[in-house]
Amino acid sequence: MSAIRGARERARIEVTAAIKDEARRQLAAEGAAKLSLRAVARELGMVSSALYRYFPSRDELLTALIVDAYDSVGEVAESAHRTAAPDGSAPVAHLARWVAVACAVRDWALAHPHEYALIYGSPVPGYTAPQVTIAPASRVGLVLVAVVEDAHREVGLALPPLTEELRPEAERLAADLAPGLPPAVAPPIVAAWAQLFGLVSFEVFGQFDRVVEARATFFRQAVEELGRTVGLLGAAARGAAGQRGAAGQDGRARR
């Protein structure tokens, strides 16, 4: 009996995967707004009633695709955070790790433009994302927060003073999103998160066409600056870097 149940479960997994794959092909060809369960069933040689046993509605299929896309880009960001181990001092390493995460997100988006459009493009008419999408959607942001938390714990952060006008919102953001960080860093992190996806979206959706040519270099420089806005490469490291630069200039002048 268990063997039969196992075979049924495997078959269900395989059919579910086939349905999602065909739905992704339709997303690429027609866009999310035109996704149709009947069209998916027809392409797979299924009757509509059989497909409804897997996904009772278009919205449930969309939700599954959205969760998969968020999880996919989230896994890429988490892997970059784990594996990025650049040489150099700890402050420089934290900034490099931030850049590695951002570049991994960009690479994923360029390799999966239609899935990126599904989660960061125009809202799908008539669709409201359910609660189940919130945790997957948070994964990239949590990785960025983790990079900043590591830097805060190990070397400190270089941040401008928090204005009194922004303090209540900063304290709320810190409590909700980054309880291990000082309130002053919460608004810059949220702004950097938004700007990261703004940069990626401009490239994926063509706004950089005939504007930015060296896009990988441009992106890397831009996200390095975003890393500095959240306090990475702290004050002590900046001072050391400045001293090294001055020493190098003195040496060249003497030569």
Side-chain angles (χ1 to χ4, degrees), residues 27 30-35 58-59 62 66 70 114-129 201 205:
L27 288 179
E30 303 289 342
K34 294 185 178 180
L35 181 64
R58 180 209 69 159
D59 283 5
L62 267 177
I66 287 168
Y70 276 132
H114 303 294
E115 291 169 70
Y116 181 87
L118 178 63
I119 54 179
Y120 291 111
S122 300
V124 180
Y127 174 80
T128 301
S201 293
F205 300 138

Side-chain angles (χ1 to χ4, degrees), residues 11 29 49 56 60 90 92 134 143 146 183-184 190 200 221 229 246-247:
S49 58
E60 291 203 23
V92 176
I134 292 176
V143 174
V190 173
V200 173
Q221 292 289 323
T229 68

Side-chain angles (χ1 to χ4, degrees), residues 81-82 84 90-91 93-95 97 142-157 180-181 232:
H81 182 219
R82 286 193 305 270
H94 291 302
L95 181 59
R97 196 167 290 116
L142 291 175
V143 174
L144 298 176
V145 169
V147 175
V148 179
E149 286 177 336
D150 291 345
H152 175 57
R153 182 176 59 255
E154 295 175 15
V155 298
L157 302 172
L181 291 170
L232 300 180

Side-chain angles (χ1 to χ4, degrees), residues 45-246:
M46 299 173 64
V47 296
S48 297
S49 58
L51 190 145
Y52 291 141
R53 290 200 293 270
Y54 295 85
F55 296 100
S57 68
R58 180 209 69 159
D59 283 5
E60 291 203 23
L61 177 54
L62 267 177
T63 295
L65 297 176
I66 287 168
V67 168
D68 284 354
Y70 276 132
D71 278 338
S72 180
V73 68
E75 288 169 7
V76 163
E78 290 162 0
S79 177
H81 182 219
R82 286 193 305 270
T83 59
D87 295 331
S89 65
V92 176
H94 291 302
L95 181 59
R97 196 167 290 116
W98 169 278
V99 172
V101 169
C103 288
V105 170
R106 172 182 178 266
D107 290 346
W108 181 90
L110 294 176
H112 304 86
H114 303 294
E115 291 169 70
Y116 181 87
L118 178 63
I119 54 179
Y120 291 111
S122 300
V124 180
Y127 174 80
T128 301
Q131 289 286 113
V132 71
T133 61
I134 292 176
S138 303
R139 290 176 69 170
V140 172
L142 291 175
V143 174
L144 298 176
V145 169
V147 175
V148 179
E149 286 177 336
D150 291 345
H152 175 57
R153 182 176 59 255
E154 295 175 15
V155 298
L157 302 172
L159 293 166
L162 182 61
T163 65
E164 289 305 313
E165 181 181 19
L166 188 56
R167 183 173 296 280
E169 180 65 8
E171 290 175 347
R172 185 193 66 79
L173 287 170
D176 288 348
L177 304 175
L181 291 170
V185 76
I189 287 179
V190 173
W193 171 59
Q195 290 173 78
L196 165 61
F197 283 103
L199 287 164
V200 173
S201 293
F202 262 53
E203 185 168 2
V204 171
F205 300 138
Q207 279 90 346
F208 280 155
D209 291 353
R210 296 184 298 278
V211 178
V212 178
E213 294 184 358
R215 294 179 186 172
T217 301
F218 177 87
F219 180 84
R220 177 175 288 273
Q221 292 289 323
V223 296
E224 279 186 5
E225 258 331 291
L226 293 180
R228 293 185 178 95
T229 68
V230 301
L232 300 180
L233 196 60
R238 291 184 186 182
Q243 291 172 5
R244 287 194 298 272

